[in-house]
Amino acid sequence: MNLIVLGPPGAGKGTQARILVEERKMAQLSTGDMLREARRSGSAIGRTVAEVMDRGDLVTDEIVIDLIRERLESADSPGGYIFDGFPRTLAQADALGALLDDLDVRLDAVIEMQVDDDALVTRITARSTCSGCGEVYNDLTKPIPADGKCSVCGGTDFQRRADDNENSLRTRLMAYYKQTSPLIGYYHAKGVLSSVNGLGEIQDVAAEIRSALG
Ligand code: ADP
Ligand code: ZN
């Protein structure tokens, strides 16, 4: 099965993608993670995108499409792929369609996670990530365990993302509504869209996604 998770920043795409990876042995392809990795490694791409990302704007289609193409052409995932944070523009959606056609891979579903703006601001300003394994924690809904150790890898270093502040979030939300939300209509027209309420508890949202996927 191959699917896209779509939704505004803070909707919980990455959290749900990680659950699907566990349950269905799928491979998660997150352009946000790839770009942050490029920054950590100090590559040319990493240097190009740093400022744009911290501001909350989208990096160019060309950069993210190349990243996804490379992964798809080199990776092999019998359980299929979860596209998380990609595509984010209509041009990216068309490019992904062409890539999947070339590889004879079918897009089975697009899950839209709906969360209202107030909840997004609260969530994002409470969010932190384990430096060791990328597990995402949230002071309100999924706190770091009381012993201060990541429940997945035991790591003790947790970072807040540079773009998880109110100013960047406002820019990211605007980018979502202007550039990404048209994809909802696009995939609806293709007959693959399912919308779920992203406001519930993590496990309740996971259950809704499970039933949408059938
Ligand atoms: P979130 O969904 O929480 O906003 P991501 O981790 O998916 O965050 O992305 C972080 C940043 O990386 C985005 O604000 C944007 O600058 C850049 N980015 C990630 N994916 C894409 C993409 N498909 N197209 C353009 N920019 C992207
Ligand atoms: Zn960890």
Side-chain angles (χ1 to χ4, degrees):
M1 154 133 35
N2 299 287
L3 56 95
I4 295 172
V5 279
L6 195 65
K13 301 183 294 289
T15 299
Q16 295 300 327
R18 288 173 75 97
I19 292 176
L20 289 163
V21 167
E22 275 296 307
E23 289 182 353
R24 303 185 183 227
K25 306 282 166 260
M26 300 177 76
Q28 176 187 9
L29 299 184
S30 159
T31 42
D33 287 349
M34 291 176 200
L35 292 167
R36 280 185 289 277
E37 177 56 38
R39 292 178 63 170
R40 270 193 300 276
S41 74
S43 69
I45 287 180
R47 288 194 300 275
T48 310
V49 299
E51 197 198 325
V52 178
M53 285 178 76
D54 287 349
R55 198 167 63 224
D57 282 318
L58 296 187
V59 311
T60 63
D61 289 337
E62 198 192 355
I63 288 178
V64 288
I65 291 166
D66 281 351
L67 284 172
I68 287 285
R69 180 185 299 116
E70 265 169 41
R71 286 298 165 100
L72 278 179
E73 285 173 355
S74 63
D76 174 38
S77 173
Y81 298 99
I82 308 166
F83 298 94
D84 161 17
F86 179 92
R88 258 180 161 91
T89 63
L90 289 167
Q92 291 177 23
D94 281 336
L96 178 63
L99 269 173
L100 294 180
D101 280 349
D102 280 352
L103 297 168
D104 239 342
V105 170
R106 196 173 93 128
L107 179 64
D108 300 287
V110 177
I111 303 287
E112 182 216 352
M113 301 184 59
Q114 299 177 326
V115 176
D116 58 59
D117 292 358
D118 288 346
L120 297 174
V121 177
T122 315
R123 280 184 180 190
I124 281 204
T125 44
R127 168 159 87 172
S128 55
T129 308
C130 170
S131 309
C133 72
E135 187 71 358
V136 178
Y137 292 93
N138 187 295
D139 303 341
L140 307 166
T141 53
K142 185 182 164 186
I144 294 162
D147 63 2
K149 289 188 182 148
C150 172
S151 56
V152 176
C153 76
T156 53
D157 183 42
F158 302 92
Q159 300 275 340
R160 291 204 192 266
R161 274 169 46 177
D163 60 348
D164 277 354
N165 62 72
E166 248 190 286
N167 247 336
S168 305
L169 180 61
R170 221 169 290 129
T171 308
R172 282 153 69 197
L173 271 178
M174 193 53 84
Y176 179 75
Y177 290 118
K178 273 171 75 172
Q179 294 168 276
T180 308
S181 66
L183 300 187
I184 296 168
Y186 177 98
Y187 287 118
H188 171 72
K190 288 185 183 288
V192 288
L193 186 78
S194 298
S195 300
V196 302
N197 176 6
L199 268 179
E201 306 254 331
I202 290 171
Q203 286 309 330
D204 296 342
V205 178
E208 236 196 285
I209 291 177
R210 234 173 267 130
S211 71
L213 295 177

